Amino acid sequence: MTSDSRNASMPLSVVLAGGGTAGHVSPLLAIADAIKDKRPEAVILAVGTPSGMETRLIPAAGYRLATIDRVPFPRRPSVDLVKLPGRLMGAVRQARRILEDANADVLVGVGGYVCTPMYLAARKLGIPIVIHEANMKAGLANRVGARFSNHVAVAFAGTRLRGARHVGMPMRRAISGLHRASAAPAAKASLGLVPERPALIVTGGSSGALSINRSISAALPALASAGIQTLHITGNGKAVLNDDGGLLTADGYRQVEYVDGMENVYAAADVLLARAGAGTVSEVAAVGVPAVFVPLPIGNGEQALNAAALVDAGGALLVDDKDLSPEWLERELIPLLTDQARLLEMARKTEALGIRNADQRMADLVLEAVSA
């Protein structure tokens, strides 16, 4: 139901679609929070699939979740491709029922499998569509949805998407409001780091990165000799072991599988070594963390594109996964970590490209779409 056909006394009804990974769920939740800040009476419903991270993260954040069937789009001829039209039609019917039951005034999509049927259903119902694209290279769902929307936003200025406005990446307030210098002492203490040594923090994301883990492990003697402490976030189930099967230990080295609260990581790290997911790149820029990006070597090359602006500006380094080695770390990373003036300059250049209020910009775009 569109806003023109609603009773004026009814609260704003916003349906947000997206999921599968934290890269979709995190901005969705940030947008939802910002909408509630501006319109406390708004009724929020999130839509995802039954098997994505949204089934845990969205209820934990206090929002209702509805689900529709996951409809992948096969890239090659297959049985799944033959079944695609029927599956998509079924998912569109599910999406239409959800939008009608919610009396939706607006649909906000952040990408992922769930969004294509939601966009198609919203278009049929005449419900305004607002889109946020997180990656430099837009996904298929948002490329489809952008054909039906005049309210399209992107995290990166170079993203090519019809009618796009550059708003940045919506992120948690604990990150967007972070002041690294003042938060660093407490953050280092909470992560078991000492204040007097340069701190390298390594992460491959929630699923880890075995190639990064191997290279860091082999470089530990050189890092320790240079006076560098390393916190290694290995990823769930990817603890790094030594030759006798126990947890790897070394001077100045600590490993954990997971850190709850990346704001502490960003505050404590003198340098962050990480994959170049859109969320990580955007958060690094927003708070000004010198970074070394190791793009995921599979997929369509979107991670290297995500990092390109920061690298070109001199705020980050980039190394291909195949080129990351103990020798590269000794040659490039150790001199960086021991050069405080260079680190400060990188932080300044990085933060100059960051956007901290993307969630508020998206909330404004949603309200604009409703009133259009």
Side-chain angles (χ1 to χ4, degrees), residues 83-102:
K83 295 179 178 179
L84 176 62
R87 288 175 172 172
L88 182 58
M89 287 177 61
V92 172
R93 285 194 294 270
Q94 292 175 322
R96 179 169 184 148
R97 283 196 296 271
I98 288 171
L99 291 168
E100 289 177 331
D101 289 347

Side-chain angles (χ1 to χ4, degrees), residues 1-27:
M1 183 182 295
T2 64
S3 57
D4 289 340
S5 60
R6 291 177 64 87
N7 186 310
S9 65
M10 295 178 69
L12 176 68
S13 175
V14 182
V15 176
L16 297 106
T21 66
H24 288 131
V25 179
S26 293

Side-chain angles (χ1 to χ4, degrees), residues 223-247:
L223 289 165
S225 295
I228 295 165
Q229 58 186 328
T230 303
L231 175 64
H232 190 174
I233 307 169
T234 61
N236 296 325
K238 292 188 171 69
V240 181
L241 307 179
N242 57 30
D243 292 339
D244 63 12
L247 284 178

Side-chain angles (χ1 to χ4, degrees), residues 59-315:
Y63 292 107
R64 293 185 300 129
L65 174 69
T67 61
I68 64 174
D69 293 338
R70 181 178 180 271
V71 184
F73 285 70
R75 299 179 184 273
R76 297 181 178 84
S78 65
V79 174
D80 284 339
L81 186 60
V82 175
K83 295 179 178 179
L84 176 62
R87 288 175 172 172
L88 182 58
M89 287 177 61
V92 172
R93 285 194 294 270
Q94 292 175 322
R96 179 169 184 148
R97 283 196 296 271
I98 288 171
L99 291 168
E100 289 177 331
D101 289 347
N103 290 319
D105 288 307
V106 62
L107 170 68
V108 183
V110 297
Y113 291 120
V114 70
C115 280
T116 301
M118 293 299 297
Y119 292 150
L120 293 172
R123 185 193 186 203
K124 288 182 179 180
L125 293 169
I127 295 171
I129 297 169
V130 179
I131 292 171
H132 183 272
E133 173 57 50
N135 285 294
M136 184 74 164
K137 191 169 185 179
L140 175 61
N142 282 348
R143 294 201 306 271
V144 171
R147 297 174 179 268
F148 314 142
S149 175
N150 294 318
H151 299 87
V152 178
V154 293
F156 297 103
T159 299
R160 298 177 64 181
L161 200 58
R162 177 185 172 274
R165 310 183 201 183
H166 180 214
V167 304
M169 177 72 80
M171 61 190 69
R172 291 189 302 112
R173 302 285 172 81
I175 293 173
S176 63
L178 178 69
H179 185 267
R180 287 183 67 228
S182 60
K188 286 191 174 184
S190 73
L191 296 173
L193 299 167
V194 298
E196 62 271 11
R197 297 177 70 175
L200 168 66
I201 300 184
V202 180
T203 177
S206 60
S207 61
L210 291 176
S211 58
I212 292 176
N213 292 355
R214 285 194 296 267
S215 295
I216 289 295
S217 301
L220 288 177
L223 289 165
S225 295
I228 295 165
Q229 58 186 328
T230 303
L231 175 64
H232 190 174
I233 307 169
T234 61
N236 296 325
K238 292 188 171 69
V240 181
L241 307 179
N242 57 30
D243 292 339
D244 63 12
L247 284 178
L248 178 66
T249 59
D251 177 36
Y253 172 76
R254 177 170 179 251
Q255 63 168 293
V256 295
E257 291 193 359
Y258 178 75
V259 170
D260 185 15
M262 283 298 291
E263 60 273 13
N264 286 328
V265 170
Y266 296 144
D270 291 289
V271 171
L272 180 75
L273 189 149
R275 292 300 193 197
T280 300
V281 172
S282 298
E283 289 171 356
V284 159
V287 301
V289 185
V292 174
F293 292 119
V294 188
L296 195 66
I298 59 175
N300 58 11
E302 67 182 23
Q303 288 206 350
L305 294 174
N306 291 342
L310 287 187
V311 173
D312 291 346

